[in-house]
């Protein structure tokens, strides 16, 4: 889902229907509503969700803002400044385009998004 448009698609790019986006200035929540039928049923116990936040870039093929070694005019920085830290010397194009994620209880976000430990695999948060 993309906050600046209406693309609600599955992993293959197939449209999944219209979404409704609303914001509440008091709670500071943004709510996305999708048709229940597009999920294959009403979410309930045992369902899992993976939610991520990235920056929007209307000029890139995946619409997500990329990374550079340090912050650029139109890119996030892998590190604030040049460093020999293992996180700072990787190819910025190999860094997952995730700024924030909702992670399961007991999992640290720094571990969840650590691209120096191998491929990043996000875990879902399950509905009890």
């Amino acid at each position: 889902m993309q906050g600046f448009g209406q693309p609600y698609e599955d992993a293959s790019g197939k449209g999944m229907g219209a979404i409704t986006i609303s914001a509440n200035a008091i709670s500071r929540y943004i709510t996305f509503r999708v048709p229940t039928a597009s999920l294959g049923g009403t979410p309930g116990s045992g369902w899992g969700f993976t939610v991520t936040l990235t920056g929007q870039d209307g000029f890139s093929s995946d619409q997500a803002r990329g990374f550079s070694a340090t912050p650029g005019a139109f890119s996030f920085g892998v590190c604030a400044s040049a460093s020999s830290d293992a996180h700072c010397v990787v190819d910025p194009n190999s860094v997952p385009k995730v700024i924030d994620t909702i992670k399961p209880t007991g999992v640290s976000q720094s571990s969840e998004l650590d691209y120096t430990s191998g491929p990043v695999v996000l875990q879902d948060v399950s509905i009890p």
Side-chain angles (χ1 to χ4, degrees):
M1 229 179 285
Q2 186 185 107
F4 290 104
Q6 280 291 324
Y8 170 44
E9 305 169 338
D10 66 11
S12 69
K14 176 185 169 208
M16 300 295 290
I19 59 175
T20 303
I21 305 169
S22 62
N24 183 307
I26 296 169
S27 69
R28 299 178 56 167
Y29 285 11
I30 296 180
T31 303
F32 293 83
R33 289 184 173 86
V34 300
T36 303
S38 71
L39 300 174
T42 302
S45 181
W47 280 58
F49 294 89
T50 303
V51 179
T52 62
L53 176 68
T54 190
Q56 196 267 344
D57 178 356
F59 299 102
S60 67
S61 60
D62 63 3
Q63 302 288 298
R65 179 119 348 182
F67 284 84
S68 53
T70 57
F74 299 100
S75 63
F76 295 114
V78 174
C79 290
S81 59
S83 166
S84 60
D85 178 284
H87 294 92
C88 301
V89 296
V90 300
D91 174 2
N93 294 314
S94 69
V95 176
K97 294 181 176 182
V98 178
I99 302 300
D100 198 3
T101 186
I102 298 174
K103 42 94 185 147
T105 303
V107 175
S108 73
Q109 185 167 333
S110 59
S111 296
E112 182 88 339
L113 296 175
D114 189 356
Y115 48 86
T116 65
S117 299
V120 170
V121 178
L122 300 175
Q123 300 175 61
D124 59 352
V125 175
S126 296
I127 297 175

CSV table of all heavy atoms in Angstrom, one decimal, residues 84-126:
chain,number,residue,atom,x,y,z
A,84,SER,N,33.9,3.2,9.5
A,84,SER,CA,34.3,1.9,9.2
A,84,SER,C,33.4,0.8,9.8
A,84,SER,O,33.7,-0.4,9.6
A,84,SER,CB,35.8,1.7,9.6
A,84,SER,OG,35.9,1.9,11.0
A,85,ASP,N,32.4,1.2,10.5
A,85,ASP,CA,31.4,0.3,11.1
A,85,ASP,C,30.9,-0.6,9.9
A,85,ASP,O,30.6,-0.1,8.8
A,85,ASP,CB,30.3,1.1,11.7
A,85,ASP,CG,29.2,0.2,12.3
A,85,ASP,OD1,28.4,-0.4,11.5
A,85,ASP,OD2,29.2,0.0,13.5
A,86,ALA,N,30.7,-1.9,10.2
A,86,ALA,CA,30.2,-2.8,9.2
A,86,ALA,C,28.9,-2.4,8.6
A,86,ALA,O,28.7,-2.7,7.4
A,86,ALA,CB,30.0,-4.2,9.9
A,87,HIS,N,28.1,-1.7,9.3
A,87,HIS,CA,26.8,-1.2,8.7
A,87,HIS,C,27.0,-0.1,7.7
A,87,HIS,O,26.2,0.1,6.8
A,87,HIS,CB,25.9,-0.7,9.8
A,87,HIS,CG,25.4,-1.8,10.7
A,87,HIS,ND1,26.1,-2.1,11.9
A,87,HIS,CD2,24.4,-2.7,10.6
A,87,HIS,CE1,25.5,-3.1,12.5
A,87,HIS,NE2,24.5,-3.5,11.7
A,88,CYS,N,28.1,0.6,7.8
A,88,CYS,CA,28.4,1.8,6.9
A,88,CYS,C,29.2,1.5,5.7
A,88,CYS,O,29.3,2.3,4.8
A,88,CYS,CB,29.1,2.8,7.7
A,88,CYS,SG,28.2,3.4,9.2
A,89,VAL,N,29.8,0.3,5.6
A,89,VAL,CA,30.6,0.0,4.4
A,89,VAL,C,29.9,-0.9,3.4
A,89,VAL,O,30.6,-1.3,2.4
A,89,VAL,CB,32.0,-0.6,4.8
A,89,VAL,CG1,32.8,0.5,5.6
A,89,VAL,CG2,31.8,-1.9,5.6
A,90,VAL,N,28.7,-1.3,3.6
A,90,VAL,CA,28.0,-2.1,2.6
A,90,VAL,C,27.5,-1.3,1.4
A,90,VAL,O,27.5,-0.1,1.5
A,90,VAL,CB,26.7,-2.8,3.3
A,90,VAL,CG1,27.1,-3.6,4.5
A,90,VAL,CG2,25.7,-1.8,3.7
A,91,ASP,N,27.2,-2.0,0.4
A,91,ASP,CA,26.6,-1.3,-0.8
A,91,ASP,C,25.3,-0.8,-0.4
A,91,ASP,O,24.4,-1.6,0.0
A,91,ASP,CB,26.5,-2.3,-1.9
A,91,ASP,CG,25.8,-1.8,-3.2
A,91,ASP,OD1,25.4,-0.6,-3.2
A,91,ASP,OD2,25.6,-2.6,-4.1
A,92,PRO,N,25.0,0.5,-0.5
A,92,PRO,CA,23.7,1.1,-0.1
A,92,PRO,C,22.5,0.5,-0.8
A,92,PRO,O,21.4,0.4,-0.3
A,92,PRO,CB,23.9,2.6,-0.4
A,92,PRO,CG,25.3,2.8,-0.4
A,92,PRO,CD,26.0,1.6,-0.9
A,93,ASN,N,22.8,0.0,-2.0
A,93,ASN,CA,21.7,-0.7,-2.8
A,93,ASN,C,21.3,-2.0,-2.3
A,93,ASN,O,20.3,-2.6,-2.7
A,93,ASN,CB,22.1,-0.8,-4.3
A,93,ASN,CG,22.3,0.5,-4.9
A,93,ASN,OD1,21.4,1.4,-4.8
A,93,ASN,ND2,23.4,0.7,-5.6
A,94,SER,N,22.1,-2.6,-1.3
A,94,SER,CA,21.7,-3.9,-0.7
A,94,SER,C,21.0,-3.7,0.6
A,94,SER,O,20.6,-4.7,1.2
A,94,SER,CB,23.0,-4.7,-0.5
A,94,SER,OG,23.8,-4.1,0.5
A,95,VAL,N,20.8,-2.5,1.0
A,95,VAL,CA,20.1,-2.3,2.3
A,95,VAL,C,18.6,-2.3,2.1
A,95,VAL,O,18.1,-1.6,1.1
A,95,VAL,CB,20.5,-0.9,2.9
A,95,VAL,CG1,19.8,-0.5,4.1
A,95,VAL,CG2,22.0,-0.9,3.1
A,96,PRO,N,17.8,-3.0,2.9
A,96,PRO,CA,16.4,-3.0,2.7
A,96,PRO,C,15.8,-1.6,2.9
A,96,PRO,O,16.2,-0.9,3.7
A,96,PRO,CB,15.9,-3.9,3.8
A,96,PRO,CG,17.1,-4.7,4.3
A,96,PRO,CD,18.3,-3.9,4.0
A,97,LYS,N,14.9,-1.3,2.0
A,97,LYS,CA,14.3,0.1,2.1
A,97,LYS,C,13.2,0.2,3.1
A,97,LYS,O,12.1,0.5,2.9
A,97,LYS,CB,13.7,0.4,0.7
A,97,LYS,CG,14.8,0.5,-0.4
A,97,LYS,CD,14.1,0.9,-1.7
A,97,LYS,CE,15.2,1.2,-2.8
A,97,LYS,NZ,14.6,1.6,-4.0
A,98,VAL,N,13.6,-0.1,4.4
A,98,VAL,CA,12.7,-0.1,5.5
A,98,VAL,C,13.3,0.9,6.5
A,98,VAL,O,14.4,0.8,7.0
A,98,VAL,CB,12.6,-1.5,6.2
A,98,VAL,CG1,11.7,-1.4,7.4
A,98,VAL,CG2,12.0,-2.5,5.2
A,99,ILE,N,12.5,1.9,6.9
A,99,ILE,CA,12.8,2.9,7.9
A,99,ILE,C,12.3,2.4,9.3
A,99,ILE,O,13.0,2.7,10.3
A,99,ILE,CB,12.3,4.3,7.6
A,99,ILE,CG1,12.7,4.7,6.2
A,99,ILE,CG2,12.6,5.3,8.6
A,99,ILE,CD1,14.3,4.8,6.1
A,100,ASP,N,11.2,1.8,9.3
A,100,ASP,CA,10.6,1.4,10.6
A,100,ASP,C,9.7,0.2,10.3
A,100,ASP,O,9.2,0.0,9.2
A,100,ASP,CB,9.7,2.5,11.2
A,100,ASP,CG,9.4,2.4,12.6
A,100,ASP,OD1,9.9,1.4,13.3
A,100,ASP,OD2,8.7,3.2,13.2
A,101,THR,N,9.6,-0.7,11.3
A,101,THR,CA,8.7,-1.8,11.2
A,101,THR,C,8.1,-2.2,12.5
A,101,THR,O,8.6,-1.8,13.6
A,101,THR,CB,9.5,-3.1,10.6
A,101,THR,OG1,8.6,-4.1,10.4
A,101,THR,CG2,10.6,-3.5,11.6
A,102,ILE,N,6.9,-2.8,12.5
A,102,ILE,CA,6.3,-3.3,13.7
A,102,ILE,C,6.8,-4.7,13.8
A,102,ILE,O,6.7,-5.5,12.9
A,102,ILE,CB,4.8,-3.3,13.6
A,102,ILE,CG1,4.3,-1.9,13.5
A,102,ILE,CG2,4.2,-4.0,14.8
A,102,ILE,CD1,2.8,-1.7,13.3
A,103,LYS,N,7.5,-5.0,14.9
A,103,LYS,CA,8.1,-6.3,15.1
A,103,LYS,C,7.5,-7.1,16.2
A,103,LYS,O,6.8,-6.5,17.1
A,103,LYS,CB,9.6,-6.1,15.4
A,103,LYS,CG,10.0,-5.0,16.3
A,103,LYS,CD,10.1,-5.5,17.7
A,103,LYS,CE,10.4,-4.4,18.7
A,103,LYS,NZ,9.8,-4.8,20.0
A,104,PRO,N,7.6,-8.4,16.2
A,104,PRO,CA,7.0,-9.2,17.3
A,104,PRO,C,7.6,-8.9,18.7
A,104,PRO,O,8.7,-8.5,18.8
A,104,PRO,CB,7.4,-10.6,16.9
A,104,PRO,CG,7.8,-10.6,15.5
A,104,PRO,CD,8.3,-9.2,15.3
A,105,THR,N,6.8,-9.2,19.7
A,105,THR,CA,7.3,-9.0,21.1
A,105,THR,C,8.6,-9.8,21.3
A,105,THR,O,8.6,-11.0,20.8
A,105,THR,CB,6.2,-9.5,22.1
A,105,THR,OG1,5.0,-8.7,21.8
A,105,THR,CG2,6.6,-9.3,23.5
A,106,GLY,N,9.5,-9.3,21.9
A,106,GLY,CA,10.8,-10.0,22.2
A,106,GLY,C,11.8,-9.9,21.2
A,106,GLY,O,12.9,-10.5,21.3
A,107,VAL,N,11.5,-9.3,20.0
A,107,VAL,CA,12.5,-9.1,18.9
A,107,VAL,C,12.8,-7.6,18.9
A,107,VAL,O,12.0,-6.8,18.8
A,107,VAL,CB,11.8,-9.5,17.6
A,107,VAL,CG1,12.8,-9.3,16.4
A,107,VAL,CG2,11.4,-11.0,17.6
A,108,SER,N,14.1,-7.3,18.9
A,108,SER,CA,14.6,-6.0,18.8
A,108,SER,C,14.5,-5.5,17.3
A,108,SER,O,14.8,-6.3,16.4
A,108,SER,CB,16.0,-5.8,19.4
A,108,SER,OG,16.9,-6.3,18.5
A,109,GLN,N,14.2,-4.3,17.1
A,109,GLN,CA,14.1,-3.8,15.7
A,109,GLN,C,15.5,-3.8,15.1
A,109,GLN,O,15.7,-4.0,13.9
A,109,GLN,CB,13.5,-2.4,15.7
A,109,GLN,CG,13.4,-1.9,14.3
A,109,GLN,CD,12.5,-0.6,14.2
A,109,GLN,OE1,11.6,-0.4,15.0
A,109,GLN,NE2,12.7,0.2,13.2
A,110,SER,N,16.5,-3.5,15.9
A,110,SER,CA,17.9,-3.5,15.4
A,110,SER,C,18.3,-4.8,14.9
A,110,SER,O,19.0,-5.0,13.9
A,110,SER,CB,18.9,-2.9,16.4
A,110,SER,OG,18.9,-3.7,17.6
A,111,SER,N,17.9,-5.9,15.6
A,111,SER,CA,18.1,-7.3,15.1
A,111,SER,C,17.3,-7.6,13.9
A,111,SER,O,17.8,-8.2,12.9
A,111,SER,CB,17.8,-8.3,16.2
A,111,SER,OG,18.7,-8.1,17.3
A,112,GLU,N,16.0,-7.2,13.9
A,112,GLU,CA,15.1,-7.5,12.8
A,112,GLU,C,15.6,-6.9,11.5
A,112,GLU,O,15.5,-7.5,10.4
A,112,GLU,CB,13.7,-6.9,13.2
A,112,GLU,CG,12.7,-7.2,12.1
A,112,GLU,CD,11.9,-8.5,12.3
A,112,GLU,OE1,12.5,-9.4,13.0
A,112,GLU,OE2,10.8,-8.6,11.8
A,113,LEU,N,16.2,-5.7,11.5
A,113,LEU,CA,16.6,-5.0,10.3
A,113,LEU,C,18.1,-5.1,10.1
A,113,LEU,O,18.6,-4.4,9.2
A,113,LEU,CB,16.2,-3.5,10.4
A,113,LEU,CG,14.7,-3.3,10.4
A,113,LEU,CD1,14.3,-1.9,10.6
A,113,LEU,CD2,14.0,-3.9,9.1
A,114,ASP,N,18.9,-5.9,10.8
A,114,ASP,CA,20.3,-5.9,10.6
A,114,ASP,C,20.7,-6.7,9.4
A,114,ASP,O,20.8,-7.9,9.3
A,114,ASP,CB,21.0,-6.6,11.9
A,114,ASP,CG,22.5,-6.5,11.9
A,114,ASP,OD1,23.0,-5.9,10.9
A,114,ASP,OD2,23.1,-6.9,12.9
A,115,TYR,N,21.1,-5.9,8.4
A,115,TYR,CA,21.5,-6.4,7.1
A,115,TYR,C,22.9,-7.0,7.1
A,115,TYR,O,23.3,-7.6,6.1
A,115,TYR,CB,21.3,-5.4,6.0
A,115,TYR,CG,21.9,-4.0,6.3
A,115,TYR,CD1,23.2,-3.8,6.1
A,115,TYR,CD2,21.1,-3.1,6.9
A,115,TYR,CE1,23.8,-2.5,6.5
A,115,TYR,CE2,21.6,-1.8,7.3
A,115,TYR,CZ,23.0,-1.6,7.1
A,115,TYR,OH,23.5,-0.4,7.4
A,116,THR,N,23.7,-6.8,8.1
A,116,THR,CA,25.0,-7.4,8.2
A,116,THR,C,25.0,-8.8,8.6
A,116,THR,O,26.0,-9.5,8.6
A,116,THR,CB,26.0,-6.5,9.1
A,116,THR,OG1,25.5,-6.6,10.4
A,116,THR,CG2,26.0,-5.1,8.6
A,117,SER,N,23.9,-9.3,9.1
A,117,SER,CA,23.8,-10.6,9.7
A,117,SER,C,23.2,-11.6,8.6
A,117,SER,O,22.9,-12.8,8.9
A,117,SER,CB,22.9,-10.7,10.9
A,117,SER,OG,23.4,-9.9,11.9
A,118,GLY,N,23.1,-11.2,7.4
A,118,GLY,CA,22.5,-12.0,6.3
A,118,GLY,C,21.3,-11.3,5.8
A,118,GLY,O,21.0,-10.2,6.2
A,119,PRO,N,20.5,-12.0,5.0
A,119,PRO,CA,19.3,-11.4,4.4
A,119,PRO,C,18.4,-11.0,5.5
A,119,PRO,O,18.2,-11.8,6.5
A,119,PRO,CB,18.7,-12.5,3.5
A,119,PRO,CG,19.8,-13.5,3.4
A,119,PRO,CD,20.7,-13.4,4.5
A,120,VAL,N,17.7,-9.9,5.3
A,120,VAL,CA,16.7,-9.4,6.3
A,120,VAL,C,15.4,-10.2,6.0
A,120,VAL,O,15.0,-10.1,4.8
A,120,VAL,CB,16.5,-7.9,6.2
A,120,VAL,CG1,15.3,-7.5,7.0
A,120,VAL,CG2,17.8,-7.2,6.7
A,121,VAL,N,14.9,-10.8,7.0
A,121,VAL,CA,13.6,-11.5,6.9
A,121,VAL,C,12.7,-11.0,8.0
A,121,VAL,O,13.0,-11.2,9.2
A,121,VAL,CB,13.8,-13.0,7.0
A,121,VAL,CG1,12.4,-13.7,6.9
A,121,VAL,CG2,14.7,-13.6,5.9
A,122,LEU,N,11.7,-10.2,7.6
A,122,LEU,CA,10.8,-9.6,8.6
A,122,LEU,C,9.8,-10.7,9.1
A,122,LEU,O,9.3,-11.5,8.3
A,122,LEU,CB,10.1,-8.5,8.0
A,122,LEU,CG,10.9,-7.3,7.5
A,122,LEU,CD1,10.1,-6.3,6.8
A,122,LEU,CD2,11.7,-6.7,8.6
A,123,GLN,N,9.6,-10.7,10.4
A,123,GLN,CA,8.7,-11.6,11.0
A,123,GLN,C,7.3,-10.9,11.2
A,123,GLN,O,7.3,-9.7,11.5
A,123,GLN,CB,9.2,-12.0,12.4
A,123,GLN,CG,10.6,-12.7,12.3
A,123,GLN,CD,11.1,-13.0,13.7
A,123,GLN,OE1,10.5,-13.7,14.5
A,123,GLN,NE2,12.3,-12.4,14.0
A,124,ASP,N,6.3,-11.6,11.0
A,124,ASP,CA,5.0,-11.0,11.2
A,124,ASP,C,4.6,-10.9,12.7
A,124,ASP,O,5.2,-11.6,13.5
A,124,ASP,CB,3.9,-11.8,10.4
A,124,ASP,CG,3.8,-13.2,10.8
A,124,ASP,OD1,4.6,-13.7,11.6
A,124,ASP,OD2,2.8,-13.9,10.3
A,125,VAL,N,3.6,-10.1,12.9
A,125,VAL,CA,3.0,-9.9,14.3
A,125,VAL,C,1.7,-10.7,14.2
A,125,VAL,O,0.9,-10.3,13.3
A,125,VAL,CB,2.9,-8.4,14.6
A,125,VAL,CG1,2.1,-8.3,15.9
A,125,VAL,CG2,4.2,-7.7,14.7
A,126,SER,N,1.5,-11.6,15.0
A,126,SER,CA,0.3,-12.5,15.0
A,126,SER,C,-0.8,-11.9,15.8
A,126,SER,O,-0.6,-11.4,16.9
A,126,SER,CB,0.6,-13.9,15.4
A,126,SER,OG,1.5,-14.5,14.5
